[in-house]
Amino acid sequence: MGSAGRPRVRYAFAMPLLTLAVGLAAMLAASPARADFRVCNATQNLVGVGIGYRAKAGWITEGWWHIEGSSCKTLIEGPLSSRFYYLYAEDAERGGRWDGPINMCVAEKEFKIAGVADCVARGFQRAGFQEYDTGEQASWMVQLTDDPATGGVPAAPGTNSQ
């Protein structure tokens, strides 16, 4: 068969691979890049989550996001505007929590609270939030695991989710 048949054999294998590569590249290019603050619950229990951050008007805390076991939720959509975010979470079934040393305000029901001072005097509860330094990334993800939920120790480290 000589050398004339060899290129056809190479192309016979190369074309499907090239088609697959082009298709994957097109799908990735068509998918918008996610930029947000997400929390993933790696436990099997329902978790309630609150977040704190500094806005132009001052400190804000918001909650509660209810995150089922083995799932994620976006708490802040779009590119992050602050470098530091603060997270507090409670295991709704076992009573554990993910907390930290930064005191901020929370409420029993859904809340959006301006300011972090005088929580109790203003009719709120005070909770210790864990600080996450996003390094001014546009996107960040925190994963809550079983270990912290048992004793109220700091949550798992966050990561740049890009």
Side-chain angles (χ1 to χ4, degrees), residues 67-123:
I67 307 174
E68 297 289 334
S70 302
S71 67
C72 300
K73 280 221 176 149
T74 298
L75 276 55
I76 297 175
E77 293 184 7
L80 302 180
S81 59
S82 296
R83 177 175 175 172
F84 296 96
Y85 288 85
Y86 303 83
L87 203 69
Y88 174 81
E90 294 181 350
D91 184 317
E93 296 171 27
R94 293 188 320 201
R97 64 185 177 276
W98 294 262
D99 59 4
I102 310 299
N103 288 320
M104 296 184 162
C105 304
V106 298
E108 285 288 324
K109 306 264 185 210
E110 185 176 325
F111 64 92
K112 184 170 185 177
I113 302 169
V116 295
D118 303 320
C119 297
V120 175
R122 295 189 297 145

Side-chain angles (χ1 to χ4, degrees), residues 14 19 26 32 53 61-62 64 83 96 123 130 144 149-150 160:
T19 303
Y53 55 90
T61 53
E62 292 185 65
W64 296 104
R83 177 175 175 172
Q130 179 66 39
L144 304 174
T150 59
N160 176 3

Side-chain angles (χ1 to χ4, degrees), residues 20-79:
L20 178 63
V22 169
L24 288 173
M27 286 189 331
L28 291 174
S31 301
R34 288 195 68 102
D36 49 29
F37 192 102
R38 292 176 57 82
V39 175
C40 292
N41 176 7
T43 76
Q44 297 303 309
N45 302 327
L46 177 68
V47 172
V49 178
I51 191 168
Y53 55 90
R54 182 113 174 127
K56 289 180 182 177
W59 288 102
I60 303 288
T61 53
E62 292 185 65
W64 296 104
W65 283 268
H66 297 110
I67 307 174
E68 297 289 334
S70 302
S71 67
C72 300
K73 280 221 176 149
T74 298
L75 276 55
I76 297 175
E77 293 184 7

